[in-house]
Amino acid sequence: MKKRIFTPVGEKEVTRAIVSSFLKQFTEYVESDCIIVGGGPSGLMAGRELAKEGIKVLIVERNNYLGGGFWIGGYLMNKVTVRGPGEKVLEELDIPYEEATKGLYVADGPHACSKLIASCCDAGAKFANMTIFDDLILREENRVAGVVINWTPISALPREITCVDPVALESKLVIDATGHDACVVRKLEERGLIKTRGFGAMWVERSEDLVVEHTGEAHPGLIVTGMAVATTYGLPRMGPTFGAMLLSGKRAAEVAKKLLR
Ligand code: 48H
């Protein structure tokens, strides 16, 4: 008989492997230390910093890919910039970069983004892709205690033909890393528990410091990071530069670590 290249394993084994591996992880992550909603640069950075300390982290991402706006940077040109000291994070993640002008650094979006994703995976964070944040779990005194999620494709189906109830995941903390929409904070606003101000006009030199400084617990059990910070507190936007996203993610992780202690 002709020698085969691949092991003789068939379709049923492939299906079984996928289902049982998914089920094992899903069951394990029905309860975690921290759920991060949004797998863009701030969420991935926060996830990496927490997971590498052995904290149980799940990142919920509505797309099939991770990275958010970090892939393509500004104006669909596949280049991302950071202002100093953001280049220190690029070095930490082993991302090649060039100095464009004093204190401004440029890297390739795909290279930067894939290194950040890999580093977050290597640290031990887990992901629920194609999973959309739908609502929060609130406990005594409206403390955030987890998220309600659904499959992303469900939201694309007409309401008249489907009503698929979501499921819930419990966690000690939730981080809103959903970018401009600040979806998690907005759920609290719908219930009159917080007031968001919407991000302001672009002013990079003011914006980045403010975003990092305002990163923190916006409501008991809920930390806000990245562009969602600008939306929550009415801070100016920064345009296609990502240092504040990376440093805000780091700060969110610091705050989370303190609260978890
Ligand atoms: C599940 C969701 C949901 C939901 C959204 O937009 P992002 O890249 O966010 P940040 O804050 O990490 O980075 C912002 C940066 O990319 C950027 O756009 C900048 C710096 N702009 C400046 C400016 O002036 O405009 O990533 C957010 C992620 C995405 O992957 C979304 O798909 C995901 O969150 N997401 N996931 N459920 N309801 N909403």
Side-chain angles (χ1 to χ4, degrees):
M1 200 177 136
K2 190 174 176 291
K3 194 174 177 308
R4 293 181 185 198
I5 299 172
F6 289 99
T7 319
V9 172
E11 288 80 1
K12 62 181 183 303
E13 285 88 1
V14 172
T15 306
R16 230 176 248 140
I18 291 170
V19 176
S20 61
S21 177
F22 174 85
L23 194 64
K24 183 170 173 283
Q25 184 180 306
F26 198 81
T27 310
E28 201 181 316
Y29 280 78
V30 159
E31 195 180 1
S32 58
D33 294 323
C34 184
I35 291 175
I36 300 174
V37 186
S42 64
L44 289 167
M45 198 70 219
R48 168 191 192 258
E49 297 295 296
L50 289 171
K52 76 178 190 202
E53 303 282 320
I55 292 166
K56 189 174 173 186
V57 186
L58 180 71
I59 300 185
V60 170
E61 170 54 55
R62 70 180 169 191
N63 275 318
N64 62 345
Y65 64 90
L66 299 161
F70 205 37
W71 280 112
I72 49 174
Y75 205 58
L76 295 181
M77 288 192 289
N78 261 358
K79 299 283 181 185
V80 293
T81 64
V82 298
R83 295 157 70 230
E87 83 285 8
K88 303 268 185 309
V89 184
L90 301 184
E91 277 162 25
E92 201 183 318
L93 297 170
D94 200 21
I95 297 167
Y97 66 85
E98 281 172 10
E99 190 169 38
T101 182
K102 198 167 165 31
L104 179 67
Y105 307 88
V106 63
D108 284 334
H111 203 162
C113 197
S114 52
K115 284 269 191 175
L116 176 57
I117 295 167
S119 162
C120 187
C121 295
D122 289 346
K126 296 291 178 213
F127 301 91
N129 287 41
M130 290 301 277
T131 303
I132 193 155
F133 164 84
D134 183 65
D135 206 345
L136 284 161
I137 303 176
L138 295 180
R139 298 279 195 240
E140 289 80 11
E141 288 153 27
N142 289 319
R143 185 184 171 77
V144 172
V147 298
V148 179
I149 53 160
N150 217 329
W151 297 114
T152 300
I154 298 295
S155 50
L157 296 171
R159 285 209 178 269
E160 317 84 69
I161 65 159
T162 180
C163 175
V164 180
D165 269 336
V167 292
L169 308 174
E170 294 188 27
S171 62
K172 294 177 188 144
L173 285 175
V174 173
I175 299 182
D176 185 345
T178 59
H180 301 69
D181 294 340
C183 298
V184 185
V185 177
R186 287 238 152 100
K187 273 288 161 193
L188 291 176
E189 186 168 34
E190 280 174 23
R191 299 196 167 86
L193 295 171
I194 208 168
K195 180 89 193 87
T196 64
R197 302 194 36 208
F199 60 85
M202 201 178 291
W203 188 354
V204 62
E205 284 179 63
R206 180 157 285 187
S207 166
E208 289 208 288
D209 282 31
L210 286 172
V211 164
V212 177
E213 283 160 17
H214 282 74
T215 298
E217 201 178 23
H219 181 87
L222 177 66
I223 293 168
V224 62
T225 185
M227 199 51 206
V229 176
T231 300
T232 303
Y233 297 107
L235 309 176
R237 65 193 297 184
M238 67 294 294
T241 196
F242 292 85
M245 300 300 106
L246 302 171
L247 293 185
S248 169
K250 272 187 182 271
R251 182 174 280 212
E254 283 310 314
V255 175
K257 276 188 251 171
K258 261 196 209 124
L259 292 171
L260 288 168
R261 262 183 239 132

